[in-house]
Amino acid sequence: MRCKIVVDSCCDLTSEMKEWTDFEIVPLLLEVADYSIYDDENFDQDDFIARMKANGGLAKSACPAPDAFKKAYEGDYDAVYVLTITDKLSGTYNSALQGKVLYEEEHRDGKKIHIFNSLATSGLETIVAQEIKNLCEEGKSFEETISYVEDYILNHTGLYFCLESLDALKSNGRLFALAAKVLEKIRVKLVCRRTLEGNISLAGQDITINRALIKMANIIAQDVTGRDLSDKKLYISYVCCEDRAKLVADKIAEKVSFGRVELIKASGLNSLYASNGGIITSYSF
């Protein structure tokens, strides 16, 4: 069975993923004031963050149109697996679903298409996309792959983030899941986690970014203590702050050992919402 994997541009790419075949990224549109750019291979993190700084730290995004997903589903494939950012933070998941409807109205080829809601962002999408690829290469059936991946997303992955600034999230209405009392502490550095519903919740806080990053590292290490991590992944996505990503990796490594640890420059969408100095930590367990 020939498979294709389609992701949105919230998926942070490792170097090896950039060489994948039967793989396509459907980009979101990023906007800062009157400047706009698609979140694709032309995205320049440093330039975009500089533009955000000049615009008071503000920017916005627009999800892909259903037709963009419909086009991504085309080709000589038996199955297409689609993975998007959580539907609680973006309309991209619904756009992907609508793209499936459009495709099936136009084509009667019996192609199987499934859209996974990652219930997360960033490196967690990366980890799940890699797992889908492994299942395809192992020759798993369409139904087996769906069942496995849905369980994997809920029960075998985690994501935490710690940001220098929450202004971009707040201005775009992405903090609705946090309690009002958290917003009152907006100048405190917050450690947040993704919930199993795909929302954001508070996991900790501290008075400086480095202290908060260390707290985040300790929380993650505690979450996975006692587990065999020899074949598990830890991806740390960063926005113009590779030194902070290294700090988090080192602090986690002091307590637990993941089989694979990689620091990844965040995609455009993740750069927008994590903003300058932001860290997103994703892992499997």
Side-chain angles (χ1 to χ4, degrees):
M1 182 170 70
R2 189 177 179 198
C3 305
K4 182 178 184 180
I5 299 172
V6 175
V7 299
D8 60 23
S9 60
C10 187
C11 181
D12 290 329
L13 300 184
T14 64
S15 55
E16 68 182 32
M17 291 175 73
K18 295 176 182 179
E19 304 301 322
W20 281 6
T21 58
D22 302 324
F23 177 64
E24 185 168 345
I25 304 162
V26 180
L28 281 82
L29 181 68
L30 312 177
E31 301 177 355
V32 181
D34 58 354
Y35 171 79
S36 63
I37 185 173
Y38 280 103
D39 187 10
D40 56 20
E41 67 276 4
N42 297 313
F43 175 77
D44 183 322
Q45 187 182 82
D46 293 333
D47 176 73
F48 189 80
I49 292 300
R51 292 175 184 274
M52 283 187 66
K53 287 180 180 179
N55 195 47
L58 302 180
K60 60 183 180 179
S61 63
C63 66
D67 190 62
F69 279 104
K70 186 202 78 169
K71 291 178 180 177
Y73 304 157
E74 295 174 352
D76 186 19
Y77 299 97
D78 302 299
V80 178
Y81 299 105
V82 191
L83 180 65
T84 76
I85 182 176
T86 171
D87 65 337
K88 301 301 189 297
L89 297 181
S90 171
T92 303
Y93 175 72
N94 285 329
S95 186
L97 290 174
Q98 293 169 25
K100 178 183 177 183
V101 172
L102 293 176
Y103 180 87
E104 291 175 344
E105 285 179 348
E106 187 174 312
H107 302 272
R108 303 292 180 179
D109 54 8
K111 181 182 296 177
K112 297 179 178 180
I113 302 172
H114 183 79
I115 294 90
F116 292 104
N117 181 352
S118 74
L119 300 175
T121 64
S122 190
L124 197 146
E125 273 197 53
T126 310
I127 290 170
V128 175
Q130 291 174 335
E131 201 66 20
I132 294 171
K133 182 173 177 61
N134 291 339
L135 294 169
C136 290
E137 291 176 347
E138 291 171 7
K140 299 296 184 183
S141 70
F142 187 72
E143 293 74 18
E144 288 174 321
T145 299
I146 293 172
S147 177
Y148 180 94
V149 173
E150 296 286 7
D151 176 74
Y152 186 76
I153 289 171
L154 282 173
N155 300 311
H156 299 279
T157 59
L159 181 148
Y160 287 81
F161 65 87
C162 184
L163 311 183
E164 181 70 54
S165 170
L166 293 171
D167 289 346
L169 278 172
K170 186 180 178 183
S171 66
N172 283 278
R174 299 304 197 257
L175 289 176
F176 60 86
L178 293 177
K181 64 181 181 180
V182 171
L183 298 181
E184 294 173 1
K185 301 175 181 178
I186 205 73
R187 297 306 167 195
V188 176
K189 303 309 176 185
L190 305 181
V191 177
C192 298
R193 66 162 66 91
R194 73 94 187 231
T195 70
L196 294 182
E197 295 74 37
N199 280 318
I200 299 170
S201 69
L202 180 65
Q205 62 197 50
D206 219 309
I207 58 175
T208 69
I209 187 67
N210 278 2
R211 286 167 62 99
L213 289 171
I214 292 170
K215 181 167 287 186
M216 179 178 70
N218 290 336
I219 292 171
I220 292 170
Q222 184 176 7
D223 281 355
V224 298
T225 294
R227 297 179 181 273
D228 179 8
L229 303 174
S230 59
D231 62 344
K232 307 307 179 186
K233 300 169 183 175
L234 173 70
Y235 292 150
I236 304 174
S237 302
Y238 61 90
V239 185
C240 301
C241 59
E242 189 173 5
D243 55 335
R244 289 179 179 173
K246 291 177 180 177
L247 170 66
V248 173
D250 290 344
K251 291 300 179 181
I252 293 175
E254 289 176 4
K255 296 179 181 291
V256 294
S257 298
F258 282 87
R260 177 173 177 177
V261 178
E262 189 163 344
L263 312 184
I264 309 174
K265 184 176 286 191
S267 73
L269 184 69
N270 296 318
S271 296
L272 190 165
Y273 287 112
S275 300
N276 187 41
I279 293 289
I280 308 170
T281 307
S282 310
Y283 58 96
S284 59
F285 58 86

